[in-house]
Amino acid sequence: MTDSSTLKVAIAQYACAPDTETNLATAERYIADAGAAGAQLVLLPELHNTRYFCQREDPAIFDYAEAIPGPSTERLATAARQAGVVVVASLFERRTAGIYHNTAVVLDADGSLAGRYRKMHIPDDPEYYEKYYFTPGDLGFTPIDTSIGRLGVLVCWDQWYPEAARLMALSGAELLIYPSAIGWDDVNDDQAEQRRQLGAWQGVQRGHAIANHLAVVTSNRVGVEADETGGATDIRFWGHSFVFGAQGETLAEAGEEPELLLADIDLHRTEVLRRIWPFFRDRRIDAFADLTRRFRD
Amino acid sequence: MTDSSTLKVAIAQYACAPDTETNLATAERYIADAGAAGAQLVLLPELHNTRYFCQREDPAIFDYAEAIPGPSTERLATAARQAGVVVVASLFERRTAGIYHNTAVVLDADGSLAGRYRKMHIPDDPEYYEKYYFTPGDLGFTPIDTSIGRLGVLVCWDQWYPEAARLMALSGAELLIYPSAIGWDDVNDDQAEQRRQLGAWQGVQRGHAIANHLAVVTSNRVGVEADETGGATDIRFWGHSFVFGAQGETLAEAGEEPELLLADIDLHRTEVLRRIWPFFRDRRIDAFADLTRRFRD
């Protein structure tokens, strides 16, 4: 932690291009801008090096993956060091032949690799065929220590699971961070349903903030990515990246265009709120064993 | 479940008087009104038979407690049967000398006692000295079967715990129900803080709806109850009872005055949503064991 309890964070919300070089250059630009704006942390969108390739299942796509550390972390580490900002990036990690992960990487402000988090919950539904590409993470729900604090980094589909947020909080995370790639299906869902989906996405994460008394920082990409499965259901990534405070209050929210979103988080609020409404004191851990069951049948 | 997937629910939001007879008569009137309005379920506020007595610690107050079944459940059961509506009531239960519970009781539409839930998480903070009065529940997070479905009944402070909602969902609850008594402190908290508290209260429960794909029905009382500790911090119960749908969308919300709040819940949405976004399929139960720990230190 810095001396002050205020942490200035930035979220880079943008559309991803078909080629990695363009995307890395975009990321570098946003990292530099975040540093220039005084941010101490900048979060990129999920899998920012490519289009969202999980729209289809194609063995050739594994070529996009790379080792960590590797060429992308080297470039991002340099950008982090030059900007003096902690970078939370999101990469398609090649661990070995046949084992790939959807991995968030934290580059500290000095350019060192602070740690990685391998997405634990892997989605799979039409247009989001992630189970084909990503082996579920095996590093658990473990926060990453950095020069600005202990970061509870999770990834996208994890955001629907209160268990993930809770385990990060129980591990001393001072902040929850979610890179995301989520969008609308304009063919099958009307506007009311799209609003409910966006509301649910923000709402469930607001819940994590409140239940754990932790701020939540969540990015998303924007732009339409054409259906590559031969169908007509493009994904329109809905943006609306946000920063919630430790009471769930909105500190900053983006629209549906590219943006560098900035917010000041008062990390001391966690201490204050946990004294006023001491949820952690009262958890009925004697009655929680069945949380490890699939269903109580 | 009824044949239709629509369940009409009612919440009775009102101020509680100093005497039990007045409060029971009020409850009976709301139950009759709910039945007349076509509701199949009506939820009363937490501890509706009395003022919120936990503002102070006084051994004489244990006189308010009664057995379940007992005189109050008899009267409420009659009201339930006459109105043809399932009643979720909230009583100060005397189990034996020295063991008292904050207990929700479900009276089925035929007047039978469908079951009880003993509040598992007991709060204790200035003006809410519940740990003095209530032994923590020992019935676990177990839903109650009724003629209108399996009800995930919890009580007030439980609403801050995603674990409680999840265990009810994992036990097949079709609906989450929370009687509450929560209010503002006009002396110590300014208006912005009061708004954040109300937002947090609703927000965390919206999160439970979303994460579990279950509607949430939550009552609260209204009215100011004078500080009986000798201080000046009255509790202004904030009302704002609500019904959220299974995507977290607001179906109905009360203001800060007495009201019989009505809403139609489409119970079939749970099935639809769990197919579209199948959260339950992917829970990393292999990595959740530490949810039974107090802290990972």
Side-chain angles (χ1 to χ4, degrees):
Chain A
M1 286 291 107
T2 53
D3 278 352
S4 156
S5 73
T6 300
L7 184 75
K8 189 183 279 292
V9 300
I11 299 173
Q13 171 175 297
Y14 52 89
C16 296
D19 70 292
T20 298
E21 176 49 40
T22 301
N23 290 321
L24 277 171
T26 301
E28 287 167 335
R29 202 165 57 245
Y30 275 106
I31 292 166
D33 288 352
Q40 297 158 275
L41 178 148
V42 59
L43 172 63
L44 305 177
E46 185 183 11
L47 299 171
H48 47 78
N49 269 3
T50 54
R51 290 287 173 98
Y52 181 72
F53 53 79
C54 311
Q55 282 195 45
R56 63 190 192 286
E57 299 193 0
D58 177 353
I61 286 176
F62 287 105
D63 284 344
Y64 295 161
E66 60 175 281
I68 297 174
S72 289
T73 53
E74 258 180 56
R75 283 186 62 172
L76 294 166
T78 300
R81 183 173 42 77
Q82 288 174 347
V85 60
V86 174
V87 174
V88 181
S90 168
L91 299 171
F92 185 16
E93 179 186 8
R94 183 184 192 282
R95 191 167 169 188
T96 188
I99 302 182
Y100 300 80
H101 296 284
N102 184 330
T103 302
V105 189
V106 180
L107 294 321
D108 214 330
D110 64 0
S112 62
L113 182 65
R116 78 187 77 192
Y117 166 80
R118 292 182 176 135
K119 189 174 183 174
M120 290 284 283
H121 294 100
I122 309 296
D124 197 284
D125 53 88
E127 308 286 321
Y128 297 82
Y129 301 107
E130 295 200 16
K131 285 195 192 295
Y132 175 64
Y133 295 106
F134 307 127
T135 301
D138 58 354
L139 299 177
F141 301 100
T142 311
I144 296 170
D145 284 318
T146 71
S147 59
I148 56 161
R150 181 168 288 189
L151 308 182
V153 178
L154 295 155
V155 178
C156 207
W157 192 240
D158 291 318
Q159 57 210 177
W160 302 100
Y161 297 86
E163 294 93 342
R166 182 67 100 200
L167 285 166
M168 286 297 190
L170 291 179
S171 304
E174 295 165 276
L175 198 63
L176 297 173
I177 297 173
Y178 297 89
S180 326
I182 187 166
W184 287 306
D185 166 353
D186 287 330
V187 174
N188 294 303
D189 296 327
D190 64 17
Q191 215 163 24
E193 172 62 17
Q194 293 186 3
R195 286 291 123 187
R196 282 194 300 270
Q197 290 180 3
L198 171 58
W201 179 68
Q202 292 193 333
V204 76
Q205 293 175 84
R206 195 186 301 280
H208 305 332
I210 298 162
N212 296 292
H213 288 139
L214 292 177
V216 176
V217 180
T218 294
S219 67
N220 191 19
R221 63 173 72 192
V222 293
V224 175
E225 298 189 20
D227 187 346
E228 293 182 333
T229 63
T233 52
D234 303 342
I235 301 180
R236 184 157 60 89
F237 291 95
W238 68 44
H240 287 280
S241 301
F242 59 82
V243 181
F244 294 154
Q247 247 162 328
E249 74 280 20
T250 301
L251 298 180
E253 182 182 353
E256 294 164 26
E257 298 297 321
E259 182 175 344
L260 182 72
L261 187 71
L262 293 163
D264 288 326
I265 296 171
D266 178 1
L267 294 170
H268 184 59
R269 287 292 290 168
T270 297
E271 174 72 26
V272 172
L273 293 167
R274 288 187 183 172
R275 292 182 186 201
I276 295 173
W277 284 346
F279 307 150
F280 283 74
R281 178 194 61 194
D282 294 332
R283 293 175 66 245
R284 287 297 302 271
I285 54 176
D286 60 307
F288 287 172
D290 280 358
L291 289 169
T292 61
R293 289 179 62 179
R294 185 65 64 207
F295 193 66
R296 274 172 146 179
D297 49 7
Chain B
M1 287 289 106
T2 53
D3 278 354
S4 157
S5 72
T6 301
L7 184 76
K8 189 183 278 295
V9 299
I11 298 173
Q13 172 175 296
Y14 51 89
C16 296
D19 70 293
T20 298
E21 176 49 40
T22 301
N23 290 321
L24 276 171
T26 302
E28 287 167 333
R29 202 166 53 245
Y30 275 106
I31 292 166
D33 288 352
Q40 298 157 273
L41 179 148
V42 58
L43 172 63
L44 304 177
E46 185 183 11
L47 300 171
H48 47 77
N49 270 3
T50 54
R51 290 286 174 95
Y52 182 71
F53 53 78
C54 311
Q55 283 194 43
R56 64 191 191 287
E57 300 192 359
D58 177 353
I61 286 176
F62 288 105
D63 284 343
Y64 295 161
E66 60 174 282
I68 296 174
S72 289
T73 53
E74 258 180 57
R75 283 186 63 171
L76 295 165
T78 301
R81 182 171 46 76
Q82 287 174 348
V85 59
V86 174
V87 173
V88 181
S90 170
L91 298 171
F92 185 16
E93 179 186 8
R94 182 183 193 280
R95 192 166 168 191
T96 188
I99 303 181
Y100 299 80
H101 296 284
N102 183 330
T103 301
V105 188
V106 181
L107 293 319
D108 214 331
D110 64 359
S112 61
L113 182 66
R116 78 186 76 193
Y117 166 80
R118 292 182 177 133
K119 188 172 183 175
M120 290 285 283
H121 294 100
I122 308 296
D124 196 286
D125 52 88
E127 308 287 318
Y128 297 81
Y129 301 107
E130 294 200 15
K131 287 195 192 294
Y132 175 64
Y133 294 105
F134 307 127
T135 301
D138 57 355
L139 299 176
F141 300 100
T142 311
I144 296 170
D145 284 319
T146 69
S147 58
I148 56 162
R150 182 169 286 190
L151 309 182
V153 178
L154 295 156
V155 178
C156 206
W157 192 239
D158 292 318
Q159 58 209 176
W160 302 100
Y161 297 85
E163 294 93 341
R166 182 67 100 201
L167 285 166
M168 285 297 189
L170 292 179
S171 305
E174 295 165 276
L175 198 63
L176 298 173
I177 297 173
Y178 296 90
S180 325
I182 188 167
W184 287 307
D185 167 352
D186 288 329
V187 174
N188 294 303
D189 296 327
D190 65 18
Q191 215 162 26
E193 172 62 18
Q194 293 187 2
R195 287 289 124 189
R196 283 195 299 271
Q197 290 179 2
L198 172 58
W201 179 69
Q202 292 193 333
V204 77
Q205 294 176 83
R206 195 186 301 280
H208 305 332
I210 298 163
N212 296 292
H213 289 139
L214 292 176
V216 176
V217 180
T218 294
S219 67
N220 191 19
R221 63 173 73 193
V222 294
V224 175
E225 298 189 18
D227 188 344
E228 294 181 331
T229 63
T233 53
D234 303 341
I235 302 180
R236 186 157 58 90
F237 290 95
W238 67 45
H240 287 280
S241 299
F242 59 81
V243 181
F244 293 154
Q247 248 163 328
E249 75 278 21
T250 301
L251 299 179
E253 182 183 352
E256 293 164 26
E257 298 297 321
E259 182 175 346
L260 182 72
L261 187 72
L262 293 163
D264 288 326
I265 296 172
D266 179 0
L267 293 171
H268 184 59
R269 287 292 289 168
T270 297
E271 174 72 26
V272 172
L273 293 166
R274 287 187 185 172
R275 291 183 187 201
I276 296 173
W277 283 348
F279 307 149
F280 284 74
R281 179 192 61 194
D282 295 333
R283 294 175 65 244
R284 287 298 301 273
I285 54 175
D286 61 306
F288 287 172
D290 281 357
L291 289 170
T292 60
R293 289 180 62 180
R294 184 66 64 208
F295 194 66
R296 276 172 145 178
D297 47 9

